[in-house]
Amino acid sequence: MKLITRKAWGARPLNGPLEDLASTHGVKVHYTGMPLNLGMTHIGCAVLVRRIQNDHMDSNGWHDIGYTALVCRHGDVFEGRGLHHLPAANGAGLNSGHYAVCGLVGTSGLVNPSDAML
């Protein structure tokens, strides 16, 4: 497992300030909600993370990707908003209590987390 920084995966700059998150009760785990190719390379993982960020910022109007972090099938952790920042992906009223981590699994193709991901 390694941490893929925002710079390394090609994150867009924030389009507004992120709120601080002083403490949490835990983590809410998400999945992509879209079909994913089983043969996705590690480069494809970074492309998917950028696609998710674009959707969150352009379609949802959020300041950044909504997740604290994202984990790919190769076991690497992509830095999202990062620790101590309020996520946006947990839903109204649920963001302040938990971090949001997205496992890069989908509705078809790659649907089960790999051992490395877990």
Side-chain angles (χ1 to χ4, degrees):
M1 176 194 90
K2 67 179 178 181
L3 177 67
I4 311 297
T5 65
R6 294 175 58 84
K7 181 178 179 181
W9 63 260
R12 289 168 50 180
L14 304 176
N15 66 7
L18 297 179
E19 293 182 49
D20 290 336
L21 182 61
S23 67
T24 69
H25 300 290
V27 174
K28 292 195 183 297
V29 178
H30 299 255
Y31 74 108
T32 66
M34 65 180 88
L36 289 184
N37 180 344
L38 282 172
M40 188 167 53
T41 65
H42 200 267
I43 292 170
C45 296
V47 169
L48 178 58
V49 172
R50 287 192 298 273
R51 178 177 167 194
I52 292 168
Q53 184 190 37
N54 287 337
D55 184 57
H56 285 183
M57 293 176 78
D58 299 338
S59 298
N60 296 352
W62 297 345
H63 295 305
D64 191 16
I65 196 166
Y67 302 116
T68 306
L70 303 92
V71 183
C72 75
R73 71 183 187 104
H74 304 96
D76 291 337
V77 178
F78 288 78
E79 179 184 24
R81 290 183 176 213
L83 298 177
H84 309 295
H85 291 112
L86 188 74
N90 290 331
L94 301 173
N95 289 311
S96 63
H98 296 84
Y99 285 123
V101 174
C102 182
L104 297 181
V105 295
T107 56
S108 64
L110 180 61
V111 296
N112 294 312
S114 66
D115 288 342
M117 183 184 290
L118 294 173

